[in-house]
Each structure stands twice: as structure tokens, then as C-alpha cells.
Amino acid sequence: MSKSIIHSSKATATCFHCGEACQDEILHFDQKDFCCTGCKLVYEVLNENDLCTYYDIADQPGLTQKTASRKDNRFDYLDDKDVIKKLLDFQNEQESHITFTIPMIHCASCIWLLENLHKLNPGIISGRVDFIKKKVQVKFQQSQISLKEVVLLLSKIGYEPTINLADVEKKKVKVTDKKLIIKLAVAGFCFGNMMLFSLPEYFAEAELLGNGFKKTFNYLNVLLALPVFFYAATDYYRSAWLSIRNKAVNMDVPIAIGIITLFFYSLYDIFFLLNEGYMDTLGGLLFFLLIGKYYQQKTYDTLSFDRDYRSYFPVAVTKLVKDEEEVIPLIKLNVGDIIKVRNEELIPADSILLEGDAYIDYSFVTGEEIPVVKKKGELIYAGGRQKGNALTLAVQKSPSQGYLTDLWNSDSFEKEKTNSLESLATSISGKFTFTVIFIALTAFTFWAYQGQLSLAVLSFTSVLIITCPCALAMSTPFTLGNTLRVFGQGKFYLKNAHVIEKMAQVDTVIFDKTGTLTAPSQAKVTYTGEDLSPESKSIIKALVNQSTHALSNRINAWLDGVKAVVIDEVKEFSGQGLLGIYKNQEVRLGSADFVNSQVLVEREGGNVVFFAVEGVVIGHFFIQSGLRKDIDRVVAEIKMGKGVHFLSGDQDHERANLKRIFGNDVLMNFNQSPSDKLTYIEKLNKRGLTTLMIGDGLNDAGALRASQVGVAITDKITNFSPASDAIMDAEVMTKLPSFLQFAKISRKIIKASFGLSFTYNTVGVFFAVQGLVSPVFCAILMPISSISVVIFTTLTTNYLAYKRGLKAKIW
């Protein structure tokens, strides 16, 4: 066995496993260089199991193991039987199945290694990777390897799974209905075979087969029509019946009437009139309808639009029992427990700080990513992330009763919105259905009165078949489906097609400020004045450490890495600044009036904060808000046709600057709590306005759900975003006006496709009522009209999207 040799940090090399530069040390092993013992360990594991072909798939495919190699007890909670039971997908006496989310899956080598886990441990049966969703399903024998050992193995090779509270408190995820797929398959199989048996009729060669063969093919069509009529079409019967029972008429009513009429008339035509019937038409009708239905349901399954805090909370916490650490499941955490929270860990419950320097990042909750300092004895709300050394906390509320949970107690989260716009197609279908039935009955009565019963039945059936709203039914899902795809290509992901119809009606847009209008990461702090000595920086650091003001937080972040000195008697004067005593000298940080500055500095686009010692101004900080690029143009375009409101949890120190940029006609509201934002949206809704809310943090969650359309904006769609109707990548924020405009265009395209469909129907009805066309001709015209509507909606949608700068292929 080769021995490893450690070289000094002055040498440079690239790690054979992860590809990182070896900065601190170089480990030579087996004639290869490694940056840490973790990477060397992974290589040893792969080498011992003849899996080094892993490195042939991609150059340096792995990940750094510097942290993964450290021994810890983070996964001790996986020994808890209750947690195991809730995490597993399946378990019997021999094996267990579990699905992990692994964000580190990024290339073919990752897939190869994770699907060869059984070679690393014989207790693992198999691994199967879903690359798109970053998930891997592992099947293992619990008698040979435990769940904890599986997770440790994944962590050791660089693919530590993400396990959170939502995995334990599993919700049922909506997936495409498997029954719909089966029904589509049945309709497609039967339709194809019925078309085959009907080919002689289409080419007028049926007489060559003989009467016996002709009847046989007709009877086979009847047999094939039975599963189509009694199984594939059941959803339409059920929907039509529920609609009628509720004294309403939706689009499925005429579809159900057409299906029933076509089936029974075909039976009459085959068995009594000894003709060929129209069973192949019935199969085609259902096949096309189900394709449209499937297309409508098949949207963005990989994105979660109903996420709450449980999707990002840990499964376990570190509890202190007699000064010893014990990892327990979060669900077993009680009030009064003493817990330890380390660097980068979330505060799991509202707690009192007992020990440690709390430097809490509340971006998870507020969208503001500059950390807040908390003192010993202060309450720290759940959801904050510690930045720095470990904290000791005393739990004040259980995780199910904390600050974050209160955000989900609103009625907005307990029920679906009742203000959804009625589907345009459904609103039209009611009048359409009554009109069709009236025309069909009129034609039947007219010919029956003339003594031509057969022609009466033929006319009645032809009208229902040719007016069967197949094209009408497909125009909506295909248009909205294309729009969904266009939006998705533009990094604007909608929950479903109904959101597009809601967006078309929006007349009021509400923006959250921090994280939405502004990007905290783009905020700029510049200093002007005498050069700040290290001691002066430490004094300023100590002052801003005692404040939660947004401007103090910006300066605090600017002084990152500076150690604060001890200052006596720090006082904060609301809206003015900070005052402290250091070595018997008075130091001030704040506005010009607060520091008694005789020189008024006017700087546009930001805020000025002065630093003074014993009444002498040393210099000033200029803090720019960091507005997103072109956000002023976005707001201006939206204001041209809609009302615009700002909601912010921050203080109003930037009100004047925002009014200068966005104008006086924008309604601005500051110091808004999460409940205030929710109430504000509800008041707008009660005034009859159709609202669209754009936010990013959990403090916007209630407002997002209360609005008709809630859009969560995020810099990375895989990162946290609150429950919403849509998720927008921050980089396409400038296209928001185009998205709103295109939602209206989609409705116009649907109306145009309705007009095209009605044109077909009108022409067909004109001939059908006179008995000049047979149901066969009507049945042929029906799929032709459907296909033409699909082509029209697809081409028109993509072309208009392309012309408006949205990402779309013309075909």
C-alpha cells in the first residue's frame, strides 16, 4: 500500500479528485496529488473497489472533502426509528427504498458513481439517478447496512444528501394522473386499429371483401369502441354530470353529448341499418381530446410552488444534556431544551441566546442578507442563520408555534383562492352548448315533421358531431401550454396554465422592496474623508454591531473581518444615529444634524452617514441602495397601464430617493410586517382590484398567497422561494412588462382560435341541418379543424413571443 506524504503549503498542485488548488497542503498518494484527507479517502474507496474508471468520465469530477472528512455526529438522528419510518419510501423484511435530494449531482460521472454504490457496499442493492430533479433512489438491505451508514457513505464520496423537515413531514406531491395516461393509451390503441379496419370503407373497396368480411370489421370496431366509450371517456361523463347537477354547463357537457350520441347512433347504424357506423370517429375524438388534456396537465413538475419553511429546516438539532451533545430529531424538540447552533445552521425555534456571539442572517425570512447582531438574553426568531461561532440557546417555543409558523396560520394558506378567474373556454361553453343542442333539435324536428325520420336522426347526429368542441377544447390548453413553454424558456416558471389567465386581468402590481426592487448584494458603500486607521474601523464596527438599522448593517458588512473594540454606553437614536464612549471620547455615527456637521453633503441615489469624534467630522459613508438593473424602466412601463405599490419591511430612509427614481404616483409603504403586507393585499382585493404581488422572502409569503397572482423572485430558482403562483429568475426581472403583456396576447390568441373553430362549425352546421353531409364527413372535418387550430395557436403564440423579445422558437 502506498504511503501518503504531506508537503508544505508553499508547493502548488491540483487535486486529482476534486480539481481544486492544493492551498494549505499537498498529500501525495499512489503517485497522485490530493488537497485534503477527504479527497484522498474517496480515491482510496474507489480504488479498492475497482471504480477508478470514474475519473475517465470527467476531469476532476468530484467535490472537495475538506469538511466531509471531519468526523461528526450530524446523522445520529437517523438511528431514530420514527424518523427512519417517515423518511423511507418503502420497506419490507428484506429491503428498504429511499429517495435523496443531492444538489451536487452535476455531470455524467456523478450519475455513474451514484448508480454504482452497490460496488462500494454489498448491502446496497442499487442506485438510480434522476438528473433533472437532482434525486437518487437507493435500495438497500437493512440487515447489512443502516440508513445512517448509507448517508455517511454518500457524504464520504462527496454527495451528501439534503434532508430537511419537509422530508419527514411528507406531503403528497401532485403528479400527472397515471389513469389519464392509461386512458390515452387505450384510446390510441383502439383508434389505430379501428382506422385499420375502416380503410376499405374509406377507399370504397369494402364490396371486394364480401359482405361477411365487411360485417366482421364493423363488429370488431364495435368491440374496440367499448373500452373507449366505457373507460377512456369516463372523465367527461363525470365532469358533465357534476356540472349539470350543480346547475351549470361546462365544456365537457357538449363533449359528453357528442360521445354518447355518436356511440349509440353508430350501434343503430351497424346493427339495424347494416352500415359501417362511426366507431373509428369515436376513437379519434377521444384520442385527440385526451392528448389535449394530458398536454394541459404536463407542466413544470420539477419546481415546487407550495414550499414553506419545512422545506428548508433541518431534520435534527444538537441538544445539550449535562454538557454533552446529543443529536435529536427536530420533531422531538421541546420548550426549555438547551441547544447548540453552529456556523451556517438555521435557528430551528424561537430561542433565547445564552452564550456566544450571535450574528444572524435573516435573508431566509426577510430577503435582507446583511446579518443582525443579537446580545445575550435577546430573543432570536426561528429561520435566522448563524454566521460565526457556535451559539447556546434556550428554546422558548416549539418549532410548530414559532414566528415562521405564524406566517402559515393565515387563511390564505389553508384554502385555495376563491378569486380565480373563470376559464375563458368554460364561460363560452355554456352558451355554445345550449345553442348546439337547440340547432340539433330544430333540425331533427324539421325533418321528422316532413316524415323523414332517418334523415332527422342523420341531421341531429351530424350537427352534434360537427359542432363537438374538440378544436375549442384543444385551443385553450395548446395556447396556454405554448405560453407556459415560452415563459419557461424565459426563466419565468408558472404553477399552471390558469395563472396566465389571471395575469391577463391584473390591474395592480405590488413590489416588495428589499430583494425585489433592490439587490442587497449590489449595494455599494464608499467612504470619503480622512483615512480610517485600524482603530477607527474597530470603533465604527463596535457601533454598528449594536444596531439593526439597514444602513448600519451595510456598513457592518463593509467592515467584514474587522474586529470590534469594547465601547461604553452605546445609544441608538431612532432615525438619527449611534453614540458611544471610547476612551472617554464621544464618537458619533449618523446624519449631518446628529454629528453637528457644518457641511451638508448632497449625494443622489443613496444615503450619507457621517463619522465624528468629539464633534470633529472625520468623514462620511455614501451608501447606495443597489437597485436592480433597469428596475426603474420596468416600473415605468408597468405604471403606464396599471397601479403600482411598494411594500417594505425596512424603515423609510430611502423614501425620497425612491420617489425621485420611480415618481410620486407610486404608493410606498414602509415598516410593513408580514401580517401588514397580507392585510394590505386583502384590502386591495376587496376594492375589486386584480393584484399581482412580487416578493422574495418568507415575510412576503402571506401577501403572495393572498394576491390573485403571487410571483416569487429569486437569484437561483433552486434556492428558497416562498409559496407562490410563479417563480421568476431575478435576471429576467426586466421582462416583467413583456410577460404581463403576452398573457393578454394569449387570451386574444385563444379568442381567435375560438373564432376559427366556430367558422368550421358554422359551415358544417349549414350543410348538416339540410342533411347534405353524412356523419362521416363531419367526423373527418372535426380532426382537420382540431389540427388546424393547434397549428394556428402554436405558430401564432411562438411568432408573437419571438417578436416581443421572449425566448421562443417560431416552430
Side-chain angles (χ1 to χ4, degrees):
M1 192 74 177
S2 301
K3 294 183 178 180
S4 58
I5 303 173
I6 301 177
H7 282 212
S8 66
S9 60
K10 295 181 180 180
T12 58
T14 300
C15 179
F16 176 76
H17 176 71
C18 69
E20 287 190 1
C22 303
Q23 298 177 350
D24 299 324
E25 60 183 16
I26 302 175
L27 277 69
H28 287 296
F29 178 79
D30 201 15
Q31 299 181 343
K32 296 174 177 62
D33 297 330
F34 299 93
C35 66
C36 63
T37 56
C39 287
K40 183 177 76 69
L41 178 62
V42 175
Y43 171 78
E44 287 185 73
V45 172
L46 297 176
N47 188 40
E48 289 172 1
N49 292 274
D50 292 329
L51 291 175
C52 280
T53 48
Y54 167 76
Y55 297 103
D56 298 333
I57 299 177
D59 295 330
Q60 290 84 38
L63 298 167
T64 180
Q65 299 299 307
K66 294 176 183 178
T67 56
S69 62
R70 297 173 186 168
K71 184 177 180 181
D72 58 46
N73 57 356
R74 291 174 300 147
F75 302 115
D76 286 354
Y77 66 90
L78 293 176
D79 290 328
D80 188 285
K81 293 183 179 179
D82 292 336
V83 173
I84 294 174
K85 184 177 180 181
K86 292 181 178 180
L87 287 175
L88 292 177
D89 300 328
F90 169 82
Q91 185 178 39
N92 59 21
E93 295 180 357
Q94 287 78 34
E95 63 184 65
S96 299
H97 302 173
I98 186 170
T99 301
F100 294 115
T101 298
I102 302 181
M104 298 306 178
I105 299 175
H106 68 286
C107 64
S109 59
C110 301
I111 299 174
W112 183 88
L113 181 56
L114 291 171
E115 292 191 345
N116 282 276
L117 291 173
H118 58 281
K119 294 183 179 180
L120 298 180
N121 191 304
I124 295 179
I125 300 171
S126 66
R128 185 176 181 182
V129 176
D130 185 333
F131 182 78
I132 300 298
K133 296 182 180 180
K134 307 293 185 184
K135 293 181 181 292
V136 57
Q137 184 188 58
V138 179
K139 299 179 181 179
F140 62 95
Q141 296 176 329
Q142 60 262 24
S143 61
Q144 297 186 38
I145 183 172
S146 66
L147 176 59
K148 177 182 174 181
E149 290 171 335
V150 171
V151 174
L152 286 172
L153 174 62
L154 289 170
S155 300
K156 187 168 67 172
I157 63 175
Y159 297 97
E160 181 176 321
T162 299
I163 306 175
N164 51 53
L165 187 60
D167 295 321
V168 177
E169 301 178 8
K170 288 184 177 179
K171 293 181 178 180
K172 291 184 178 180
V173 180
K174 291 183 179 180
V175 296
T176 303
D177 189 0
K178 291 183 178 179
K179 291 183 179 180
L180 175 60
I181 298 176
I182 295 173
K183 290 176 181 178
L184 179 59
V186 169
F189 173 80
C190 294
F191 172 54
N193 283 280
M194 284 190 286
M195 287 295 293
L196 180 64
F197 295 146
S198 301
L199 278 177
E201 294 291 342
Y202 291 134
F203 292 100
E205 301 293 340
E207 297 298 332
L208 298 178
L209 297 176
N211 196 44
F213 269 112
K214 180 180 177 182
K215 289 183 178 180
T216 300
F217 286 159
N218 291 340
Y219 296 154
L220 287 173
N221 278 345
V222 172
L223 290 176
L224 288 169
L226 293 178
V228 173
F229 182 78
F230 289 104
Y231 177 68
T234 51
D235 287 344
Y236 294 102
Y237 305 149
R238 186 180 300 109
S239 176
W241 168 246
L242 290 174
S243 176
I244 294 172
R245 193 172 67 177
N246 292 324
K247 298 180 181 180
V249 177
N250 62 13
M251 186 177 289
D252 290 335
V253 172
I255 293 177
I257 293 175
I259 292 171
I260 294 171
T261 303
L262 187 59
F263 178 74
F264 284 105
Y265 182 77
S266 295
L267 290 179
Y268 171 77
D269 195 48
I270 292 171
F271 290 104
F272 293 95
L273 302 181
L274 303 179
N275 293 322
E276 65 277 2
Y278 311 104
M279 293 304 183
D280 52 341
T281 302
L282 177 66
L285 171 64
L286 263 300
F287 181 64
F288 283 118
L289 286 173
L290 291 173
I291 285 178
K293 192 172 185 179
Y294 175 78
Y295 189 95
Q296 189 176 20
Q297 288 189 9
K298 193 67 176 177
T299 54
Y300 294 90
D301 295 333
T302 58
L303 292 177
S304 175
F305 293 86
D306 293 311
R307 292 183 281 192
D308 58 27
Y309 70 98
R310 287 170 293 203
S311 300
Y312 304 89
F313 259 41
V315 175
V317 294
T318 302
K319 178 181 176 181
L320 297 179
V321 181
K322 296 181 179 179
D323 295 329
E324 293 187 3
E325 295 184 6
E326 176 184 347
V327 179
I328 65 169
L330 183 63
I331 56 178
K332 295 187 177 181
L333 185 65
N334 298 313
V335 175
D337 287 346
I338 307 300
I339 61 174
K340 177 170 283 189
V341 176
R342 295 181 172 84
N343 182 41
E344 294 296 329
E345 291 184 348
L346 285 175
I347 310 298
D350 294 358
S351 306
I352 297 293
L353 178 61
L354 300 180
E355 183 181 341
D357 297 324
Y359 200 49
I360 309 299
D361 175 9
Y362 275 113
S363 60
F364 180 86
V365 178
T366 65
E368 175 63 65
E369 59 185 31
I370 297 179
V372 174
V373 176
K374 289 291 184 180
K375 302 177 184 177
K376 182 178 179 180
E378 288 188 325
L379 178 66
I380 301 179
Y381 292 112
R385 188 183 298 276
Q386 165 63 354
K387 298 284 188 179
N389 298 326
L391 305 177
T392 302
L393 305 168
V395 177
Q396 294 297 296
K397 292 183 180 180
S398 67
S400 62
Q401 297 177 340
Y403 169 74
L404 280 179
T405 316
D406 290 341
L407 293 178
W408 268 262
N409 289 336
S410 168
D411 291 339
S412 298
F413 294 89
E414 299 300 325
K415 58 185 178 181
E416 289 296 321
K417 298 172 194 167
T418 58
N419 54 5
S420 299
L421 296 177
E422 186 181 12
S423 169
L424 180 61
T426 302
S427 63
I428 292 177
S429 64
K431 298 178 181 178
F432 176 80
T433 301
F434 288 120
T435 303
V436 167
I437 294 175
F438 174 77
I439 294 173
L441 289 174
T442 301
F444 177 86
T445 303
F446 175 80
W447 290 114
Y449 183 77
Q450 298 291 330
Q452 301 185 47
L453 183 60
S454 177
L455 185 58
V457 173
L458 183 67
S459 298
F460 177 80
T461 308
S462 297
V463 170
L464 286 176
I465 292 173
I466 204 166
T467 56
C468 189
C470 184
L472 188 66
M474 296 181 72
S475 60
T476 300
F478 270 87
T479 302
L480 297 182
N482 273 299
T483 303
L484 276 177
R485 182 176 57 80
V486 169
F487 281 15
Q489 289 175 341
K491 298 184 179 181
F492 186 29
Y493 306 92
L494 306 187
K495 186 174 183 177
N496 53 47
H498 293 296
V499 178
I500 301 172
E501 296 189 76
K502 297 176 187 176
M503 287 179 60
Q505 301 295 317
V506 166
D507 53 27
T508 305
V509 179
I510 305 98
F511 290 91
D512 168 57
K513 185 179 77 69
T514 305
T516 304
L517 292 173
T518 64
S521 59
Q522 297 180 9
K524 295 180 180 179
V525 178
T526 55
Y527 173 78
T528 304
E530 298 181 19
D531 291 340
L532 294 174
S533 66
E535 186 178 29
S536 296
K537 291 181 179 179
S538 297
I539 294 171
I540 298 173
K541 180 77 171 183
L543 287 172
V544 295
N545 268 349
Q546 306 302 316
S547 172
T548 60
H549 193 279
L551 298 180
S552 297
N553 290 338
R554 303 255 187 253
I555 297 174
N556 202 339
W558 185 75
L559 293 171
D560 186 35
V562 176
K563 187 175 181 179
V565 297
V566 177
I567 293 185
D568 301 326
E569 302 178 17
V570 177
K571 296 181 180 179
E572 182 170 8
F573 297 85
S574 180
Q576 299 181 57
L578 297 161
L579 182 149
I581 304 298
Y582 177 71
K583 293 182 179 181
N584 297 321
Q585 290 184 311
E586 182 185 84
V587 291
R588 289 176 178 250
L589 189 70
S591 64
D593 292 337
F594 184 68
V595 301
N596 297 317
S597 174
Q598 301 300 318
V599 179
L600 184 62
V601 179
E602 294 185 1
R603 302 284 292 273
E604 293 186 354
N607 296 271
V608 178
V609 177
F610 291 87
F611 174 55
V613 178
E614 287 292 307
V616 178
V617 176
I618 306 299
H620 67 268
F621 295 92
F622 177 58
I623 305 170
Q624 293 176 293
S625 59
L627 290 173
R628 293 192 184 275
K629 184 179 179 181
D630 293 331
I631 192 64
D632 53 340
R633 177 182 60 79
V634 172
V635 174
E637 289 184 21
I638 293 176
K639 282 197 306 181
M640 293 174 65
K642 299 174 176 61
V644 177
H645 302 244
F646 289 173
L647 291 178
S648 176
D650 294 343
Q651 298 180 19
D652 64 349
H653 56 271
E654 291 186 275
R655 182 188 293 271
N657 182 50
L658 291 174
K659 280 189 173 295
R660 181 186 62 81
I661 296 173
F662 298 107
N664 294 322
D665 51 344
V666 175
L667 298 176
M668 299 184 184
N669 301 270
F670 295 89
N671 299 306
Q672 298 289 297
S673 67
S675 59
D676 291 336
K677 292 184 177 183
L678 173 61
T679 303
Y680 190 88
I681 298 294
E682 289 177 340
K683 287 181 178 179
L684 292 178
N685 291 337
K686 289 180 180 177
R687 286 167 49 188
L689 300 175
T690 305
T691 54
L692 182 145
M693 169 73 187
I694 306 176
D696 70 317
L698 279 178
N699 63 334
D700 303 317
L704 289 172
R705 289 299 298 268
S707 59
Q708 271 88 350
V709 181
V711 179
I713 187 169
T714 176
D715 291 300
K716 292 183 180 180
I717 61 171
T718 54
N719 283 0
F720 171 75
S721 59
S724 60
D725 297 303
I727 298 175
M728 175 183 283
D729 195 308
E731 69 179 45
V732 299
M733 181 77 165
T734 54
K735 294 184 178 180
L736 178 60
S738 298
F739 287 127
L740 291 172
Q741 182 185 23
F742 197 73
K744 289 185 176 182
I745 292 174
S746 297
R747 286 178 65 92
K748 293 180 180 179
I749 294 173
I750 293 174
K751 291 180 179 180
S753 65
F754 284 174
L756 182 61
S757 177
F758 288 143
T759 300
Y760 282 117
N761 290 335
T762 302
V763 174
V765 167
F766 176 77
F767 292 103
V769 295
Q770 300 181 65
L772 299 177
V773 293
S774 67
V776 171
F777 178 82
C778 298
I780 293 174
L781 181 62
M782 183 194 64
I784 291 176
S785 65
S786 300
I787 294 171
S788 64
V789 166
V790 169
I791 294 175
F792 168 77
T793 57
T794 302
L795 286 176
T796 306
T797 302
N798 291 346
Y799 175 74
L800 293 177
Y802 177 79
K803 292 291 289 183
R804 279 159 180 76
L806 301 178
K807 289 187 177 181
K809 296 179 181 179
I810 295 181
W811 178 248

